[in-house]
Amino acid sequence: MIEALRLAFSWGVMCLALWHPVVRAEAPLHFTTAQILLVQGHGYTLPPYEANVSKLPGTWQTVSLPHAVTRHLMPDADSGDTLGPPTVVTWYRFQMPFLAPAVNPRYLYIPRWKTDGQITVYSDKRLLYQSHASTLWNGWNIPLWVPLDNTADSLSPSMVLVRVESPRYAGGGISSLWLGDNDSLSWRYRLRYFTQVQLPSASSAAFLAVGLFSLFVWFKLRAETEYLLFFCISVASFLRTMHFYVGEDTLAISDEWFTWITVNSLYWMVLITHFFLSYLHHRPVLWLNRTVCGITAAICILTLPLFAEFFDAYMLSPLTYIALLFMGSLVAGIGFYQSRRARSRDGILLSTWALAGMLLGGYDWLMQNNYIDIESIYLGPFSNIVAFLLFMHIIFRRYIAANTEVKQVNASLQLRLQEREDELLESHRRLRDIAHRQTLIDERQRLMQDMHDGMGSSLRTALLAVEKGRIDAPMVAEVLKDCIDDLKLAIDSMEPVQADLLLLLATLRFRLGPRLESAGIVLRWEIENVPALDWIDPRNALHILRILQEAFTNIIKHTQATEIRVITGIENDCILVKIIDNGSGFSVEQGIDSTGKGLGNQIRRAESIGAKIRWTSSDAGTSLVLYLPIKRDTQECFRAQE
């Protein structure tokens, strides 16, 4: 981009120079006529060190400049002999007027020399310049700037000779010639050099750079085919434009392969443009796809240097370009028609310029084959620049459209997401209300069930005894104590214990302590710190309290114990709660199998919370062990007890 800006600035300065030329030491000389001499031969020869025109065979003729010989569309049948292919050496002679000694060095400026071969420039008999490029691609589009008398003690020449050697069938020619000093003539050379060399070079490099960026975009967005097509057209355009500015030095590859690239890159450009148009209007024409691909593949194969013996790509390039113009016009015309049917503005714009490009290509073909003034400017590079801008415009428009679509989709998604969030919040609020109501209902049912099974059962038993007249005051007091204990435990189970088993045991000790003391039983509290049980909730807490309350009640009523020990500990993955008394023992098996509900209720309550309960009883006392898992799904401690 910086290089392109620099070149644009230089071009602007040179344009200003057209309108405001600097003060010149002398006006430049413009030669529009020359004398010409043709020398037929075979094979390419080295130019002589000194040009002795008196020894050249033939007669000099006067011609107007620019001068060109029309190129043969088909090469001559005469392929030469062992000396080589038929060639012609064209001598151009320019008689110089009397030139005063130069204040500033003078230069020869040749806007274009056009042939296959080499060019040599002589001042009188002295060699001034000799091209050293390839035979076919020799920098024919690069203007020549040859110092004439910038050496010490140099004399003004009386004659300038230009020697051009080329194949007989290739035609050739030379533009008019300028002579002058740097101040009066360099702006012409620089403007021509910028137009013919620097502009194609900079534009093709910029096209390729943007194409590489497009390729990287395509690597991330594989579904966006236009980015890949843009990269391909940039590469084809870069390869095609090379022949406008390379050739001043020997090419890095052979002339045959460079010819193959130059000829076929135009077919590649038409092929890629066809697929780009099809992508824009979305109306592919199957027979046209096959035709374009088939012709391109056939030309690529036939022009390979491997088949040069049968099909010389360089000699037949004028005919291949005619076929290209036909194929390109067909692609552009059908692309325009399909784009109008699809109402694709981008397709109409690109196909319109493709049609215009075929017209410009026809102009370049006429100029290439010397049918029109060879001193004119080739329009192909300018056609590629406009095509580059059009492709950039199309890609930019599609990028903006895609970006706008993404913003609209994001806005729509954000709106839908907000609506969904509002729906979820409302649904969450409703579920929370339902869960709250269900929790209240479950807790109410739990309390009702527990009061029915506990305090309600005791009251019914007492009521039945009263109705039958088999109850006395101590029995009534005992029943009321049991009912009060049940009520207290039900209330305590509703308190938050924060998964703390020790807090739950402390609550039980606080509630049952006075009753144990009134029964003359000593309570020994041997509690150690244990992990928290995160699965304890009010329901599970009540079950634990009921199991332990039942144990204490059985000891008070049936064992005549004088001491109770409460011990906690950890075994495997369980917390152990032991209640040991020193009363009279009982048969555990008979107690479980009896019609009474005490031990059976304890077992059922333990199983409902995922715990286990074990009894050991003898004449020395009874031991109850409650195994509570630290984690709800842990079974290791139970396996150890089985």
Side-chain angles (χ1 to χ4, degrees):
M1 181 61 71
I2 295 176
E3 179 68 15
L5 292 176
R6 185 182 69 81
L7 294 176
F9 177 76
S10 301
W11 183 79
V13 171
M14 286 183 288
C15 287
L16 290 176
L18 286 171
W19 301 100
H20 302 283
V22 298
V23 177
R24 302 181 180 90
E26 60 183 15
L29 298 178
H30 186 203
F31 294 90
T32 58
T33 61
Q35 291 181 308
I36 185 174
L37 179 64
L38 302 178
V39 179
Q40 306 293 334
H42 286 83
Y44 293 97
T45 60
L46 293 176
Y49 181 73
E50 291 186 354
N52 190 350
V53 297
S54 61
K55 295 182 179 181
L56 295 176
T59 304
W60 292 89
Q61 297 180 354
T62 302
V63 295
S64 299
L65 300 180
H67 171 263
V69 177
T70 303
R71 178 174 180 172
H72 298 176
L73 296 183
M74 293 294 293
D76 294 337
D78 181 13
S79 59
D81 51 24
T82 57
L83 297 178
T87 58
V88 58
V89 176
T90 305
W91 291 87
Y92 292 95
R93 183 169 64 182
F94 300 89
Q95 296 292 340
M96 298 290 107
F98 174 78
L99 298 175
V103 178
N104 298 314
R106 296 186 179 95
Y107 297 87
L108 287 176
Y109 163 51
I110 305 177
R112 176 178 284 116
W113 64 282
K114 189 171 181 297
T115 187
D116 306 329
Q118 295 183 344
I119 184 172
T120 311
V121 180
Y122 297 89
S123 174
D124 289 333
K125 295 182 179 181
R126 179 169 53 95
L127 179 66
L128 291 181
Y129 172 81
Q130 177 184 359
S131 62
H132 299 281
S134 303
T135 302
L136 300 181
W137 302 100
N138 48 23
W140 48 266
N141 197 48
I142 301 175
L144 291 183
W145 181 255
V146 181
L148 185 65
D149 52 5
N150 61 345
T151 59
D153 301 327
S154 61
L155 299 176
S156 299
S158 61
M159 180 175 58
V160 171
L161 293 172
V162 177
R163 177 184 185 272
V164 178
E165 184 176 26
S166 60
R168 294 180 192 174
Y169 65 83
I174 192 171
S175 65
S176 60
L177 186 144
W178 295 79
L179 187 148
D181 60 17
N182 182 76
D183 293 336
S184 62
L185 199 58
S186 65
W187 67 269
R188 297 178 184 273
Y189 166 73
R190 295 183 183 278
L191 181 59
R192 172 73 71 155
Y193 191 84
F194 171 80
T195 306
Q196 295 183 178
V197 180
Q198 291 180 315
L199 184 60
S201 174
S203 62
S204 63
F207 199 171
L208 182 62
V210 179
L212 289 173
F213 173 77
S214 181
L215 177 64
F216 295 141
V217 173
W218 178 76
F219 283 146
K220 294 295 183 181
L221 305 174
R222 294 298 181 91
E224 304 295 334
T225 312
E226 68 269 23
Y227 293 105
L228 177 60
L229 293 174
F230 184 85
F231 166 72
C232 294
I233 196 70
S234 69
V235 173
S237 176
F238 177 81
L239 295 176
R240 173 58 189 176
T241 312
M242 286 178 61
H243 73 281
F244 287 108
Y245 55 85
V246 301
E248 193 170 16
D249 298 316
T250 304
L251 299 176
I253 61 176
S254 65
D255 281 357
E256 290 75 16
W257 279 108
F258 192 81
T259 300
W260 184 82
I261 293 174
T262 302
V263 171
N264 287 278
S265 57
L266 270 176
Y267 281 88
W268 299 338
M269 291 178 64
V270 173
L271 176 67
I272 299 167
T273 302
H274 165 65
F275 283 111
F276 204 100
L277 284 171
S278 298
Y279 179 83
L280 293 176
H281 58 63
H282 301 291
R283 292 174 175 269
V285 181
L286 185 58
W287 67 266
L288 184 59
N289 292 345
R290 294 174 177 174
T291 301
V292 174
C293 292
I295 293 176
T296 303
I299 295 297
C300 287
I301 295 173
L302 292 175
T303 55
L304 283 171
L306 304 176
F307 307 127
E309 183 178 354
F310 309 100
F311 192 95
D312 191 326
Y314 187 81
M315 290 190 298
L316 296 178
S317 59
L319 298 179
T320 58
Y321 288 151
I322 292 176
L324 174 77
L325 291 174
F326 172 77
M327 187 178 78
S329 301
L330 186 64
V331 167
I334 295 179
F336 180 82
Y337 173 73
Q338 297 290 11
S339 297
R340 284 200 60 185
R341 291 183 59 192
R343 297 182 180 179
S344 172
R345 294 176 56 188
D346 294 337
I348 293 174
L349 188 63
L350 182 59
S351 59
T352 300
W353 181 248
L355 287 170
M358 292 300 103
L359 296 176
L360 299 181
Y363 173 86
D364 285 355
W365 184 88
L366 293 174
M367 182 176 171
Q368 180 189 27
N369 295 283
N370 304 332
Y371 288 105
I372 58 177
D373 185 2
I374 65 170
E375 198 167 339
S376 301
I377 301 295
Y378 281 100
L379 301 180
F382 302 96
S383 174
N384 287 348
I385 292 173
V386 177
F388 165 62
L389 296 176
L390 284 179
F391 278 105
M392 282 287 295
H393 170 72
I394 293 172
I395 293 294
F396 177 74
R397 275 174 47 86
R398 298 183 74 84
Y399 171 78
I400 293 299
N403 192 39
T404 303
E405 183 179 357
V406 168
K407 289 182 178 180
Q408 293 175 350
V409 171
N410 288 338
S412 176
L413 289 176
Q414 185 175 4
L415 180 60
R416 292 170 59 187
L417 180 60
Q418 186 62 44
E419 293 175 352
R420 185 59 178 166
E421 286 180 353
D422 294 341
E423 293 176 0
L424 290 176
L425 288 175
E426 179 64 21
S427 176
H428 177 68
R429 185 189 65 79
R430 293 178 181 177
L431 291 175
R432 186 175 55 194
D433 292 343
I434 293 173
H436 180 67
R437 289 195 296 269
Q438 186 63 40
T439 300
L440 293 177
I441 292 173
D442 293 342
E443 191 65 16
R444 186 181 298 113
Q445 291 178 349
R446 182 183 67 82
L447 291 175
M448 291 174 60
Q449 183 66 36
D450 194 71
M451 292 177 66
H452 176 271
D453 295 340
M455 186 172 61
S457 177
S458 299
L459 291 175
R460 283 196 302 272
T461 301
L463 178 60
L464 183 60
V466 170
E467 289 177 347
K468 294 183 178 181
R470 294 181 297 179
I471 190 169
D472 51 12
M475 185 179 297
V476 172
E478 187 68 25
V479 170
L480 293 177
K481 289 180 181 179
D482 291 340
C483 291
I484 292 172
D485 289 340
D486 288 339
L487 182 59
K488 289 179 179 180
L489 289 177
I491 295 173
D492 289 340
S493 68
M494 300 178 64
E495 294 292 333
V497 296
Q498 299 179 348
D500 191 345
L501 177 63
L502 300 185
L503 181 59
L504 194 63
L505 295 177
T507 300
L508 180 65
R509 179 183 182 185
F510 174 75
R511 294 300 184 188
L512 297 180
R515 188 173 180 188
L516 294 175
E517 184 179 354
S518 65
I521 300 175
V522 177
L523 179 61
R524 297 191 182 280
W525 202 255
E526 302 175 12
I527 302 298
E528 66 179 42
N529 193 24
V530 295
L533 302 178
D534 54 7
W535 50 269
I536 293 181
D537 56 14
R539 173 181 172 276
N540 295 334
L542 183 58
H543 282 305
I544 294 174
L545 291 176
R546 287 294 188 197
I547 292 171
L548 300 180
Q549 178 199 25
E550 186 70 24
F552 281 105
T553 300
N554 289 337
I555 294 172
I556 294 172
K557 289 183 177 181
H558 305 297
T559 65
Q560 293 82 42
T562 61
E563 180 183 273
I564 298 177
R565 296 169 61 199
V566 178
I567 305 171
T568 60
I570 302 175
E571 183 177 306
N572 295 329
D573 292 328
C574 280
I575 295 176
L576 279 61
V577 180
K578 296 182 180 180
I579 299 178
I580 304 173
D581 66 79
N582 60 353
S584 58
F586 67 97
S587 173
V588 177
E589 292 77 6
Q590 292 180 1
I592 295 175
D593 296 336
S594 65
T595 56
K597 298 181 180 179
L599 299 186
N601 283 339
Q602 287 177 296
I603 293 174
R604 285 190 295 274
R605 287 183 183 276
E607 291 176 347
S608 68
I609 62 175
K612 296 289 184 181
I613 189 170
R614 296 288 185 268
W615 289 272
T616 303
S617 183
S618 66
D619 294 339
T622 302
S623 172
L624 177 146
V625 182
L626 178 62
Y627 298 90
L628 301 172
I630 297 176
K631 298 297 182 182
R632 191 61 181 269
D633 298 332
T634 300
Q635 300 293 326
E636 293 298 326
C637 64
F638 303 149
R639 295 191 185 99
Q641 303 303 320
E642 293 175 353

